[in-house]
Amino acid sequence: MLKKIATGVSVLLLATLTACGSGGTSAKDGDSGEITMGFAQVGAESGWRTANTKSIQQSAKTAGIELKFSDAQQKQENQIKAIRSYIQQKVDVIAFSPVVETGWDAVLLEAKRARIPVILTDRAVDSEDDSLYETFLGSDFVKEGEKAGAWLVENTEGPVNVVELQGTTGAAPAIDRKKGFEEKIAARPDIKIKASQSGDFTRSGGKQVMEAFLRSNPDVDVVYAHNDDMGLGAIEAIKAAGKKPGEDIKIITVDAVKDGMQALAAGEINYIVECNPLLGDQLMDLAKKVVDGEKVPKRVVTEETTFTPEQAKKALPGRQY
């Protein structure tokens, strides 16, 4: 049976043979030098990802961890290539946020055999063998979808036509945010998802898909976007169609990055479910522990909240991302 660790930027600390088995020594035992981490980032597709990258880079510097960083440009083959490079370089720990959930077993097994622990951050992998990584640090994407669906159920009446802007096809947040949302709106048979398509987590993708949705579904009541950037793209398309975002068409998004929060405060987005990108400090702490051979929880969930327009106005002045 496939064991799926749900959601979030996934950092995989590949389990060392020691950590996933019995006694023995870790790859770092006997070496008092600086820890080297190889980090394979998804890309720079959104404001969330940019904030996540900055957090990881700053936290590594503060923690005294040497960071080898690569940008996969949203391509799995690039991430696999980067991970194999880190294995050849004999880094102490590998962390990454998987572009998609499947197709990682072979390269993770290579890391395990090299006795390099792996940490997943933000996003999960779907694998039969959970000994291939030490821990998964990130959000509960299903819960994020549930929060979005619960708000819609509680804040609308009568028939509601929804269009959904999905994240990258096959990515954990896209799969799980859809699942959680659908589970919650099932309580209201009069809420219908009229169309659902990937905008690839980008603003341009969200705009393009929303333009097509408006042509084929002129009676749209609500947009559910899997991240702020696609929601912001949808706002552009809605305005171009002569409609008022937040009023003529309500918008629910996930992330709570600054641009999204500003649109929320302005009333163009109606509700945002937070997905915290500032995972750097937790990641570096986990990295030190696994390199030292300490046991860590298999799943570390980040704490997050939700925002209405009024709450966004209060939160924006001190917002870090």
Side-chain angles (χ1 to χ4, degrees):
M1 303 288 289
L2 291 180
K3 292 182 180 179
K4 177 180 173 185
I5 311 275
T7 148
V9 148
S10 294
V11 171
L12 256 142
L13 282 170
L14 259 166
T16 59
L17 293 179
T18 297
C20 66
S22 54
T25 57
S26 76
K28 195 68 181 172
D29 281 351
D31 180 0
S32 59
E34 182 181 67
I35 292 173
T36 300
M37 172 188 286
F39 187 86
Q41 182 61 283
V42 172
E45 75 281 3
S46 63
W48 191 99
R49 190 66 56 191
T50 301
N52 177 245
T53 292
K54 186 177 180 181
S55 171
I56 290 164
Q57 291 172 333
Q58 289 180 340
S59 295
K61 186 175 182 180
T62 301
I65 292 176
E66 181 185 351
L67 186 68
K68 294 182 180 293
F69 184 90
S70 66
D71 180 337
Q73 299 179 324
Q74 293 183 274
K75 295 180 181 178
Q76 184 179 31
E77 59 267 31
N78 290 345
Q79 280 193 312
I80 291 173
K81 183 179 178 181
I83 292 168
R84 287 194 166 125
S85 172
Y86 296 147
I87 294 170
Q88 291 172 355
Q89 294 175 63
K90 299 181 180 179
V91 299
D92 300 302
V93 60
I94 292 171
F96 74 104
S97 178
V99 174
V100 294
E101 287 192 335
T102 58
W104 300 104
D105 282 21
V107 71
L108 294 184
L109 184 58
E110 291 172 29
K112 181 177 177 178
R113 286 172 176 166
R115 303 182 64 210
I116 301 174
V118 174
I119 298 171
L120 298 172
T121 67
D122 174 43
R123 298 182 180 183
V125 296
D126 205 345
S127 173
E128 293 179 349
D129 186 0
D130 66 5
S131 76
L132 294 176
Y133 57 90
E134 288 290 339
T135 183
F136 167 40
L137 166 67
S139 305
D140 185 332
F141 297 141
V142 173
K143 187 173 285 187
E144 290 172 354
E146 289 174 349
K147 290 176 181 177
W151 183 89
L152 183 60
V153 169
E154 294 165 9
N155 289 274
T156 58
E157 294 179 356
V160 179
N161 294 324
V162 181
V163 292
E164 181 180 30
L165 294 167
Q166 293 185 51
T168 303
T169 303
I175 294 168
D176 293 340
R177 286 171 185 165
K178 181 176 182 64
K179 178 183 177 184
F181 184 77
E182 289 179 346
E183 287 175 352
K184 280 296 179 183
I185 66 171
R188 284 269 307 276
D190 57 345
I191 297 177
K192 305 286 186 185
I193 298 178
K194 304 293 285 186
S196 183
Q197 187 175 324
S198 172
D200 214 24
F201 285 125
T202 67
R203 195 172 302 198
S204 60
K207 181 182 179 182
Q208 259 187 339
V209 175
M210 191 64 204
E211 287 170 345
F213 281 166
L214 289 169
R215 287 193 293 269
S216 58
N217 297 277
D219 57 347
V220 173
D221 300 307
V222 175
V223 174
Y224 169 44
H226 287 191
N227 78 338
D228 291 344
D229 279 76
M230 290 189 296
L232 292 166
I235 286 173
E236 294 178 29
I238 291 167
K239 287 180 176 178
K243 295 178 181 288
K244 194 165 185 178
E247 292 187 21
D248 297 329
I249 299 177
K250 296 190 181 301
I251 300 174
I252 306 167
T253 68
V254 181
D255 272 356
V257 296
K258 190 162 286 185
D259 285 354
M261 291 284 278
Q262 287 171 339
L264 178 62
E268 293 184 334
I269 291 177
N270 303 85
Y271 191 67
I272 294 182
V273 178
E274 184 181 39
C275 182
N276 187 355
L278 306 182
L279 306 180
D281 289 348
Q282 285 179 284
L283 174 59
M284 300 311 149
D285 181 59
L286 288 169
K288 288 180 177 180
K289 287 178 178 177
V290 298
V291 170
D292 285 342
E294 291 184 37
K295 251 189 153 0
V296 297
K298 201 69 182 179
R299 180 73 172 93
V300 180
V301 180
T302 53
E303 290 188 12
E304 294 157 341
T305 186
T306 58
F307 293 96
T308 61
E310 295 73 25
Q311 292 166 332
K313 289 174 186 175
K314 292 178 183 178
L316 266 170
R319 199 73 178 159
Q320 293 183 52
Y321 57 93

